[in-house]
Amino acid sequence: MEEVLSEGKNFRLLEDSELPDIIEFIGQFLPHSIKFHQTLKTYLNDRVWDFHFYVTKTWPDQPVILHFPGMTSTPNGKIYESFSVFCPCDQLEYLELLREEDVLIDWTQPIYLNFTHANIMNKIEEFYSDIGTIEKQYGDIYAISELTKEDDSINVVFAEDAEMLQLTPEHAQTIHDLYPANHMECVEIFEKLIKKLPCYGVFSASGELAAWMVQSYYGAMFSMQTRPEYRRKGYGLILAKYLTKVVTERGYLPFVVIRPENDASKALYSKLGFKKHFETVRAILRPHERANDEQGGGTNSQ
């Protein structure tokens, strides 16, 4: 089992007892800190996955925070092979500490960054361009601050005697198989999400899983999908509306990551009162000498 390091050159491992203060501190930077803020909150409340959070040794004077692993499935399944990072957008000069980090981050190897604020990624790209190339996938962060009265006017009547139920772990494999980024998330994470967080499915009259949506380990509402034969029945809107309500009642800030070209999802969430706040990037950083390595995440969990 891979050893968890207590510190790196510029960062130190946080104790769980420190996390509430960290959550409060980065809460000052919402909505830009929403993904990292909600990841911390989900970890502290629900412990869905084993993450390791690090802050600068000068925190909060240099407010850069990391967590490893950044995603649950990478080619070698190593803790320090992927990470997520947050830094206030007006203090991005402190990301230089990432470039200098030579213990926690091995820049000579491929690195996998989960969805990261685009401004942070741009800053990383400034120094990484001399090291290697960055393969990027963009997303827009849409978030809601409070439920609106308009939500109540949405028709929630199911077609054809369908019903909505909390998912069970037996549904994890089906959801994982159809999840677009399943090479970056292992099936075990879906099993744990279903056990610990709100995860709902719409089932047809015959009992078949027609559509589903889950709350993720980073607090977002994600993996909403509808099987092709059950589309245009309003299941996605019903699931999104219901999960938004449940997530809010549990003390989380509902948000989603939407691909820029996904106009249908933008329209759906806008109808529920979500607004775009910033652009985010999921990336693979590949050193020049490793340019021919396998692309994407892997199938192993740490």
Side-chain angles (χ1 to χ4, degrees), residues 98-116:
L98 286 181
R99 185 186 68 80
E100 298 170 354
E101 181 59 43
D102 57 3
V103 179
L104 300 174
I105 304 172
D106 183 354
W107 295 110
T108 70
Q109 300 295 317
I111 292 172
Y112 305 85
L113 265 67
N114 209 337
F115 283 117
T116 300

Side-chain angles (χ1 to χ4, degrees), residues 159-160 162 178-180 202 204 208-212 223-239 262 264-265 268:
E160 302 171 359
L178 295 172
Y179 178 52
V202 174
S204 69
E208 183 178 19
L209 181 58
W212 55 87
S223 191
M224 184 178 78
Q225 292 174 272
T226 303
R227 291 182 185 275
E229 62 269 32
Y230 292 104
R231 289 174 184 166
R232 301 188 182 279
K233 297 179 184 294
Y235 293 165
L237 182 60
I238 293 170
L239 282 166
N262 193 339
S265 288
L268 186 154

Side-chain angles (χ1 to χ4, degrees), residues 75-267:
N76 302 299
K78 294 181 178 179
I79 294 173
Y80 299 100
E81 191 169 34
S82 68
F83 70 92
S84 285
V85 54
F86 174 72
C87 178
C89 289
D90 61 350
Q91 300 179 64
L92 297 179
E93 66 273 14
Y94 294 129
L95 291 173
E96 181 71 12
L97 295 171
L98 286 181
R99 185 186 68 80
E100 298 170 354
E101 181 59 43
D102 57 3
V103 179
L104 300 174
I105 304 172
D106 183 354
W107 295 110
T108 70
Q109 300 295 317
I111 292 172
Y112 305 85
L113 265 67
N114 209 337
F115 283 117
T116 300
H117 197 295
N119 291 358
I120 294 174
M121 188 63 70
N122 290 341
K123 195 69 176 178
I124 290 174
E125 192 167 13
E126 287 180 13
F127 68 77
Y128 194 80
S129 59
D130 292 332
I131 302 172
T133 59
I134 301 181
E135 176 186 328
K136 293 181 281 191
Q137 179 183 84
Y138 291 90
D140 294 325
I141 295 285
Y142 278 70
I144 189 170
S145 56
E146 60 181 345
L147 297 178
T148 62
K149 290 182 179 179
E150 285 76 8
D151 292 338
D152 296 330
S153 66
I154 297 172
N155 188 355
V156 295
V157 176
F158 284 108
E160 302 171 359
D161 296 323
E163 61 178 341
M164 182 168 56
L165 300 169
Q166 169 74 23
L167 297 172
T168 61
E170 68 186 30
H171 300 118
Q173 188 66 59
T174 297
I175 293 173
H176 181 264
D177 289 346
L178 295 172
Y179 178 52
N182 58 13
H183 59 295
M184 291 183 173
E185 305 292 3
C186 58
V187 67
E188 289 84 0
I189 191 66
F190 285 89
E191 293 171 351
K192 292 189 176 185
L193 291 173
I194 288 170
K195 289 178 181 177
K196 297 193 174 188
L197 294 172
C199 301
Y200 292 93
V202 174
F203 293 83
S204 69
S206 62
E208 183 178 19
L209 181 58
W212 55 87
M213 188 173 193
V214 305
Q215 182 182 345
S216 80
Y217 60 83
Y218 51 89
M221 296 153 51
F222 89 136
S223 191
M224 184 178 78
Q225 292 174 272
T226 303
R227 291 182 185 275
E229 62 269 32
Y230 292 104
R231 289 174 184 166
R232 301 188 182 279
K233 297 179 184 294
Y235 293 165
L237 182 60
I238 293 170
L239 282 166
K241 177 184 177 183
Y242 188 74
L243 202 65
T244 298
K245 180 174 181 291
V246 172
V247 165
T248 302
E249 289 173 347
R250 296 182 78 243
Y252 291 94
L253 303 174
F255 76 99
V256 291
V257 182
I258 302 177
R259 294 276 188 90
E261 68 276 11
N262 193 339
D263 293 332
S265 288
K266 290 178 184 178

Side-chain angles (χ1 to χ4, degrees), residues 263-294:
D263 293 332
S265 288
K266 290 178 184 178
L268 186 154
Y269 286 103
S270 295
K271 197 170 185 179
L272 290 173
F274 285 70
K275 293 180 173 59
K276 178 183 173 180
H277 288 282
F278 60 93
E279 186 176 59
T280 185
V281 183
R282 173 183 268 164
I284 302 172
L285 284 63
R286 200 175 304 282
H288 292 306
E289 62 270 23
R290 303 295 298 271
N292 295 322
D293 283 0
E294 178 186 354

